Amino acid sequence: MTDNYLGKEIGKLGFGFMRLPRKGNDFDYELINRMADRYLEAGFTYFDTAYVYTGSEEAMRKTLVERYPREKYQIASKLNMLNVQKPEDMQEVFETSLKRLGTDYLDFYLLHGLNAMSNKKCEEIGAWDFVKKLKAEGKIKHYGFSYHDNAENLDEILTNHPDAEFVQLQINYLDWDSEDVQSRKVYETARRHNKPVLIMEPLKGGLLANENSTLGEFLKKANPNVSVASWAVRFAASLDGLIAMLSGMNSMEQLEDNIKTVQNLKPLAESEMKVLQEAVELLNSIPRIPCTDCKYCVEQCPENINIPALIRIYNNYLVYNSTANSEMPFRMATMNRGRPSSCITCRACEEQCPQHIEISELMSKMVPLYE
Ligand code: SF4
Ligand code: SF4
């Protein structure tokens, strides 16, 4: 279940605090606490959050830091270049993260969502020296970065910063050979530089977990005794050089399923890899917009358009070739917010989108369909 990376034995299932379950306007703390208890009891210890995940660091303090001895788990948080304009801002963001989390150190600190452009800002503002200084001061134990760009640029970053201790990558079987996300290529690049890897989006924001879908039907036919999600978990968690695979779980069922899969981890057999290849072909034959609901775009939009919610609606249209049943979700998505026709095509959202979605063009396609 574990490998000895970065001086600690860490169970390979990480608990992502980006998409926490909600109750009304707040997080569902009763459920989150139960999930954290069960997760720790099962022997897992890695919790992932970020300065930009609204309310997430505070939720981690309440659920974890205020309820368990600090040495019982690891906390990872992230510094996003969107939140800093000058070098002094980095210290302020870091101190804010510590305060929200109620801790005086982080186990893992990541430069958040690097690509060629944001890494340029890291270089200019001195972010690499900043994280090195934090480590020397004992305020963080390890530093690395999460990454959303191609293999070539990753190679350049790792060549220029051999001191980065690990890389967090978007890896799942659907994106493994995709030219956009380049899961395989970025993974192989990181490993060539001898970096251990954290995996994010192993279920592609839940898209690879849905039992009631064409994919679900296909995988259930291949093996009715396992969950659809377990295929994606086994694919990611079996990779060599893994620190942990992060999953943004928001129900006990998902947590139990992931625990079961990772505790009894069996790498996929050749015949199962073939099934996944066929599943990928099937999914690829249904054109969809690959939004993971990360919401990086939303903060950038001057018209306050709920982009991921609208993309979900549009994806239904693409799959079912119909706008039936979309009236209510569309009304909810646009309540007190911009509509597709509000888009001024500034493309600020597109600069932040890790999936490289052409959001402004999509908005113009939605206008005649829904307005
Ligand atoms: S391009 Fe449209 S959707 Fe994107 S940030 Fe600008 S106004 Fe918002
Ligand atoms: S459109 Fe892109 S940035 Fe926005 S939520 Fe979807 S994946 Fe994230």
Side-chain angles (χ1 to χ4, degrees), residues 29 333 366:
Y29 280 106
M366 290 193 75

Side-chain angles (χ1 to χ4, degrees), residues 38-71:
R38 172 69 183 113
Y39 171 83
L40 287 165
E41 184 233 359
F44 298 104
T45 53
Y46 189 99
F47 290 84
D48 173 82
T49 182
Y51 179 86
V52 293
Y53 301 164
T54 308
S56 169
E57 290 179 320
E58 289 90 341
M60 200 174 280
R61 183 190 73 239
K62 288 182 193 168
T63 260
L64 199 59
V65 182
E66 291 177 359
R67 299 171 66 244
Y68 283 95
R70 181 64 184 86
E71 68 280 5

Side-chain angles (χ1 to χ4, degrees), residues 300-303 305 307 343-349 359-360 363:
Q300 305 306 312
C301 180
E303 298 303 313
I305 298 173
I307 297 164
C343 176
I344 55 170
T345 62
C346 65
R347 307 181 80 177
C349 51
I359 297 165
S360 55
M363 290 301 120

Side-chain angles (χ1 to χ4, degrees), residues 8 52 122 247 271 340:
K8 264 258 181 210
V52 293
C122 285
S247 181
S271 57

Side-chain angles (χ1 to χ4, degrees), residues 291-297 307-308 311 352-355 357 359:
C291 175
T292 62
D293 202 21
C294 68
K295 299 186 176 61
Y296 295 157
C297 55
I307 297 164
I311 290 180
Q352 298 307 322
C353 178
Q355 305 296 328
I357 296 170
I359 297 165

